[in-house]
Structures are given as C-alpha cells and as structure tokens.
Amino acid sequence: MVDFARIADLWATFPRGEGLFFHLGKLIGYIVIYLCWVKFVAWLDRDAKTFGMPSYWTPIAASVAFLSLLSFWIFPFYWLSVVLSLLLLLSPLIIYAQKRNEEVPPALTILTVEHIKRVARRNFGLKIGSKSKDTLKTIPVKFLGKAGEGKGSQSEGYRGAQELIWLAVQRRATDIHMEPTREGMQIRFRIDGILQPVKDFDTDRGTVVLNVYKNLAALDIAEKRKPQDGSFSAEVEERTVDFRVATSGSVHGEKMVIRLLDSSRQMKSLTEVGLREVLRRKIEPILDQSNGLLITCGPTGAGKTSTLYACLNQIDRFSRNVITLENPVEYMIDNVTQIEVNTKAGKTFAAELRSMLRQDPDVILVGEVRDAETAEIACQAAQTGHLVLTTLHANDAVTALGRLIDLGVKPFLVASSVTAILSQRLVRVLCAKCRVPCDPVPEVVQRLKLPAGKGKFFKPTIVKGADKETCSRCQGMGYVGRTGIFELLVLTDEIRSLLKENPDLGAIRQVAMKSGYFTLMDDGYRKVAEGITTLEEIQRAAS
Ligand SMILES: [Zn+2]
C-alpha cells in the first residue's frame, strides 16, 4: 500500500530533508560574495568593451561565478566553500587585469602599485613615494565650474593654461604676471615677494592662454583695454586653489595678473612666522586677555595677515567665540565664524563690524583698519570685553599709534584700548641646501656687540643662466621661503599717560627705547648672525 502521508511529508521538505535551520551569518557571507561577483562581471563587461578586449571575458567570468555558487551547494564545509569561491572569482580578475594592463596607458592600469597609489591619493589624500614622471604628462590641474569643462578643455590653449598654473604652484608663486612685449608675452612669477622671469610665450600662444583665463574668470573677451577683474578656481593635486584675475590694457596689448589663493594652506604658529621666544613670551599673555587691541603693522606684503592668523592659532577656539571679518578670506579656520566683507556689494567693514558685535564674540579679527569708523568701533570693542586683533598700514609700531590718531580716534581712546603693536617685515630665508659660510659682517658684529668668533654667517649661492647646474631646492635663487623680522611695543602706563596728555610720537619713542624696545633692525641683525638670512635682505626689507 502506498503511504501517501509519508510521501506528502517528504515532498513538503524537498530537497533538503527535514528541519528549517539556517545560519544567518553564513547566509549573509554568501550573499556578499554573490553581490561582489555581480558587480565584478558588470564592470568587466563595460571595461572590456571600452578597451576593445576580447568578448569571451564576460562569459568566462560569469561561468566561474556559477562554479563558485555550486561549491556552496556541494561542499558541506562552509569556510572551504568561501575560500574556493574567492579563488574562483579572483583568478579571472587577475588574469584579465594583466592582459588589460598591456593594452592601456600607464595612468589607467589596475591592480598595480601605481593604481594603489592613485586610489590612496584620491581617497585619503596620501602621497606615497615621489611624484612619478607621468604626472607631467597628465597635469594635475582641473579648472572648476562651467567654463572648466566642455568643448574647449582639450585645446592647446587650455593645456597651456593648465601648465602655467601647475608650474606656478610647484614654484610656490603667489602671483603670475603675463605682460605683452614687442616680441611676445613675458611671464613672471612672484616668488617670496620678488618677481622672477620664468618663460616667454610667443604672442599667439600668449593671447590664447590669456583668453582661457579670461573665459574661466567670466570676463569680457572682446574688451582688451578697460581694466577688468574676476576669479576662478581649480583643483590642483586634490587641493582647491582660488585665483583672482585682473586685466588691463598696455602699450603692447592686454596684460594680466593672477593672484593665487590656496585656501587649504595651513595657518602658521607664532614660531613659524619667525617670532623669537623673547617676543613670544610677551605676546602670549596678551592673547589670553579678555580685552584689548593687538595690532600688527607694516607696509603691504609685510606678512601682517599671516602673523595675525598665527595669533589666532594661539587662541583657544573651542572655549572662546571667535569671529573674523576679512576681505578676502585667506585661510579657512575650524571653529571660527569667518565673514567676508563684500565691498562691491556696498558693504563696509564698519557696518559689518557693528552687526558682528551683536553675535556676542569673545575674540574679533578685523582684516584691516583703514577708516575712522572701523578704527573707533574696534577701539571701543577692545574696551568692552572683546579681544580685538587687526592690521594697520604703518611703518613702525610708534607710527601706528600716530596713524590711529590721524584717522580720527581720540588719543584717550587709543591709550586705553591698544595693548600692543607688532611691527614687521618679511625677509627671504637662505636655502639651507646650498648656502655657504662667509666672514662675519662687521656692521652686524658691531651692532650686536658680538664677541669674536660668535655668530654663524652664511651667503647664498646664486646661479645665473639656465645652463648651469642649479640647486634642486631653490632653483638657483639662493633663498627658499620667507620669515618675519619683528619689533614689539607693549603699551606701558608711562606710554599711555603720554598718549592721553600730549600725543608726541618722538617722546613716546624715547620712553619705549628706555624700556628695552626691541627694534626691527635688531631682530634682523640677529637673524643674519644666526645664518637665517643676509644683511642685503634686511636692508631691502627695511628700506
Ligand atoms: Zn639652494
């Protein structure tokens, strides 16, 4: 007799017999491997078509995956199946990658050391090893925005524009000058504050490259005489760099100046801007105070702003509410509210500063004080529970006090709000790789009263002409980077009362000198005797 009940039971549990047990973790593991396979086959199919690889690769990869699936069913040992599946899936991938790498350019290879470096750079911003030669072939400059893409992006002019930016970044230039001459277009870079000729374009190429920049900055291409200005951005080696462009007409045609603003560059510390320990120990307690006005002063390009940021770097930005008012924003800083004053839109520093005070700041950084209203608000804020940091265009610390009064701030207000003034200049730093020792400089020895044999004096090795072998660190310029020379005036009670009664700068200077005022030249001479820079640099900076 047929046992229908038994058959029904077996049928109900077909094909794996009784029980409904399964291991969730193992099942997920299987699904993950399966999904990887789906993704791999899809990628391989696309990739093989792109690079014209034989069409049998897709069915091979697909059938191998079928075998791996089968292995889970056949073998009762889960982990053996996992290993087997992975081997089955990886082997066609490795063989395919090898065949493929023979066909494609080096920059597109996969599963190679180069590939891993590329992925690491892209995902983690890592730099493994040195820059290989093929980075020159593919210039790591990508213009951002609408004008950066599209039909023009493969043209000769576009590539020329990329090359010039790349060269400027590599040479640490802060400005690119493109000036038409009778013969062609002269290109100069400002490096460490000094304009250096770099290369020349012929007129045609120069005009094409200049027009690429005009296009990127959304300027009127047809207008070649009237001054225009604009900006654009580019991704340079995974960093975003902003460029401010200004054009104007000249005798030989249109000229252009491009300023590079690297927003990813790091804020420096007080030591890094060149402030020696003696001065640092005087500045630090001033930055801990909850009110007062600290001014950095000097002419344009003296490094005032960098020093101001170094001061900000010293401040605890977690426990204090820090707000900055800048034009333009030069560094991005964490835990700080940064406001860019748009003077073109009719906004003023004074108006912005007034509205900013309502946000209950503890520390305020004002990019620059150049009008009476801003100066007065800054002084008042410094007296009412805010630490105010700012820059002022003045040649030395004592003159800066006079400048505030000239702007129209009442002497008693200056006297009661200003805490200290740091005056500075930038000097170039000797290239440590190629500097050579030299005899002590008599002027420096005398001024610092150095005993015989004290001090380390160096001079630069300056190589002229392109054919000579140049130092790889400074490209034969003899200097790399810049450092500050400083003088610090901390306002004493004596100086304050002098200011209030009768603001006579001469008298203030005399009092300051008596209290051990450390002048700009003193600091400069010391840096010469320390082998950091040269007397020529100090004289150039101080003149
Ligand atoms: Zn050198």
Side-chain angles (χ1 to χ4, degrees):
M1 193 184 157
V2 184
D3 189 348
F4 284 106
R6 175 83 185 130
I7 291 173
D9 274 348
L10 281 175
W11 182 249
T13 57
F14 180 80
R16 58 185 299 275
E18 290 163 82
L20 268 169
F21 175 76
F22 67 88
H23 191 291
L24 191 63
K26 287 180 179 177
L27 190 66
I28 289 172
Y30 170 75
I31 291 171
V32 167
I33 291 174
Y34 178 78
L35 290 176
C36 287
W37 163 71
V38 171
K39 207 159 166 56
F40 165 56
V41 174
W43 168 81
L44 189 136
D45 192 47
R46 265 196 327 271
D47 194 76
K49 279 179 188 140
T50 312
F51 293 105
M53 297 296 287
S55 55
Y56 53 71
W57 279 105
T58 311
I60 287 177
S63 50
V64 157
F66 178 69
L67 290 176
S68 94
L69 204 144
L70 210 60
S71 77
F72 278 98
W73 197 30
I74 294 169
F75 298 112
F77 311 107
Y78 178 78
W79 290 109
L80 177 75
S81 306
V82 168
V83 172
L84 202 67
S85 296
L86 286 176
L87 282 177
L88 280 165
L89 292 177
L90 280 175
S91 50
L93 172 63
I94 289 165
I95 300 166
Y96 174 78
Q98 276 177 352
K99 296 276 174 205
R100 177 191 181 278
N101 287 350
E102 291 167 14
E103 307 289 324
V104 302
L108 295 171
T109 54
I110 54 166
L111 298 182
T112 56
V113 178
E114 267 308 310
H115 181 217
I116 294 162
K117 280 188 199 167
R118 280 202 309 275
V119 171
R121 264 204 299 274
R122 199 160 49 225
N123 295 324
F124 311 108
L126 293 177
K127 278 195 191 112
I128 302 166
S130 61
K131 281 171 214 145
S132 63
K133 275 174 195 143
D134 66 38
T135 50
L136 283 177
K137 275 182 256 164
T138 51
I139 309 159
V141 175
K142 198 178 134 209
F143 295 121
L144 305 173
K146 272 185 192 157
E149 297 148 9
K151 56 182 169 26
S153 60
Q154 298 306 318
S155 70
E156 193 62 18
Y158 190 87
R159 201 181 157 82
Q162 280 178 311
E163 274 172 355
L164 193 59
I165 296 286
W166 177 229
L167 190 63
V169 170
Q170 279 183 309
R171 298 283 297 272
R172 302 178 300 106
T174 52
D175 302 84
I176 303 170
H177 288 238
M178 301 177 72
E179 295 140 331
T181 59
R182 208 188 298 260
E183 292 81 27
M185 171 102 59
Q186 188 190 35
I187 309 292
R188 290 191 293 170
F189 288 167
R190 189 176 291 283
I191 303 167
D192 294 334
I194 291 173
L195 270 177
Q196 316 261 5
V198 182
K199 61 196 244 174
D200 290 331
F201 284 152
D202 60 47
T203 306
D204 287 347
R205 188 172 164 78
T207 311
V208 170
V209 170
L210 191 137
N211 279 336
V212 169
Y213 295 136
K214 277 179 87 173
N215 193 23
L216 287 167
L219 303 183
D220 180 2
I221 302 278
E223 178 59 69
K224 293 178 192 302
R225 287 173 180 280
K226 277 190 198 149
Q228 298 188 72
D229 60 278
S231 63
F232 65 88
S233 307
E235 207 169 87
V236 183
E237 279 191 312
E238 280 90 35
R239 294 195 321 257
T240 304
V241 183
D242 293 323
F243 301 87
R244 306 261 162 154
V245 183
T247 64
S248 63
S250 76
V251 190
H252 296 291
E254 192 174 20
K255 59 179 266 187
M256 178 179 276
V257 178
I258 305 174
R259 163 151 289 196
L260 284 74
L261 294 169
D262 187 348
S263 53
S264 67
R265 82 194 143 146
Q266 293 291 306
M267 259 199 308
K268 290 180 174 171
S269 66
L270 287 172
T271 315
E272 284 165 332
V273 295
L275 210 63
R276 63 179 68 246
E277 210 195 329
V278 183
L279 297 182
R280 250 181 8 247
R281 265 190 267 135
K282 287 183 182 171
I283 285 276
E284 281 165 6
I286 291 169
L287 294 170
D288 286 336
Q289 289 173 11
S290 59
N291 51 48
L293 179 60
L294 173 71
I295 301 170
T296 63
C297 75
T300 309
K304 305 187 282 286
T305 311
S306 297
T307 304
L308 209 59
Y309 281 98
C311 290
L312 205 58
N313 211 354
Q314 185 72 32
I315 287 168
D316 179 3
R317 302 189 294 277
F318 292 94
S319 64
R320 298 167 90 178
N321 181 16
V322 182
I323 307 186
T324 74
L325 208 59
E326 303 160 79
N327 181 31
V329 170
E330 291 190 33
Y331 296 84
M332 298 294 179
I333 318 162
D334 295 335
N335 301 307
V336 169
T337 310
Q338 293 176 278
I339 302 168
E340 186 159 300
V341 181
N342 191 346
T343 45
K344 268 190 191 166
K347 301 230 172 118
T348 62
F349 264 96
E352 292 278 334
L353 185 54
R354 234 184 261 285
S355 73
M356 185 170 130
L357 282 168
R358 288 183 217 118
Q359 298 178 33
D360 186 32
D362 297 311
V363 181
I364 306 168
L365 184 148
V366 184
E368 195 184 353
V369 164
R370 44 183 159 187
D371 61 275
E373 213 185 340
T374 313
E376 203 159 287
I377 305 169
C379 288
Q380 279 161 356
Q383 278 189 311
T384 51
H386 310 92
L387 176 69
V388 184
L389 312 173
T390 192
T391 70
L392 199 64
H393 193 102
N395 276 336
D396 64 73
V398 177
T399 314
L401 286 173
R403 173 107 179 88
L404 276 177
I405 294 165
D406 287 346
L407 274 175
V409 184
K410 298 273 183 297
F412 79 88
L413 189 56
V414 176
S416 51
S417 56
V418 178
T419 325
I421 303 172
L422 195 59
S423 168
Q424 77 171 102
R425 299 288 187 279
L426 287 178
V427 293
R428 290 187 295 164
V429 174
L430 278 165
C431 172
K433 197 175 173 193
C434 65
R435 64 176 187 180
V436 284
C438 67
D439 293 335
V441 182
E443 209 176 327
V444 176
V445 173
Q446 256 174 30
R447 176 85 170 239
L448 296 179
K449 301 188 181 74
L450 282 180
K454 283 274 171 179
K456 291 175 285 180
F457 293 85
F458 287 90
K459 62 180 183 184
T461 314
I462 294 172
V463 185
K464 289 211 170 96
D467 51 320
K468 300 247 182 68
E469 196 174 303
T470 57
C471 165
S472 63
R473 189 158 182 264
C474 66
Q475 278 92 24
M477 289 190 295
Y479 297 91
V480 175
R482 286 185 292 178
T483 191
I485 54 171
F486 296 92
E487 64 182 20
L488 177 67
L489 177 69
V490 179
L491 267 71
T492 57
D493 288 342
E494 198 178 357
I495 294 173
R496 284 182 210 279
S497 60
L498 265 176
L499 254 177
K500 272 185 223 166
E501 289 154 14
N502 172 29
D504 175 6
L505 298 186
I508 292 171
R509 207 180 299 268
Q510 272 181 355
V511 171
M513 284 304 211
K514 266 191 283 172
S515 64
Y517 179 49
F518 194 74
T519 70
L520 210 71
M521 287 307 264
D522 288 333
D523 192 25
Y525 283 130
R526 277 180 207 205
K527 281 180 173 138
V528 174
E530 286 160 3
I532 295 170
T533 189
T534 57
L535 185 61
E536 291 74 41
E537 275 299 300
I538 304 296
Q539 285 163 341
R540 187 182 62 80
S543 67

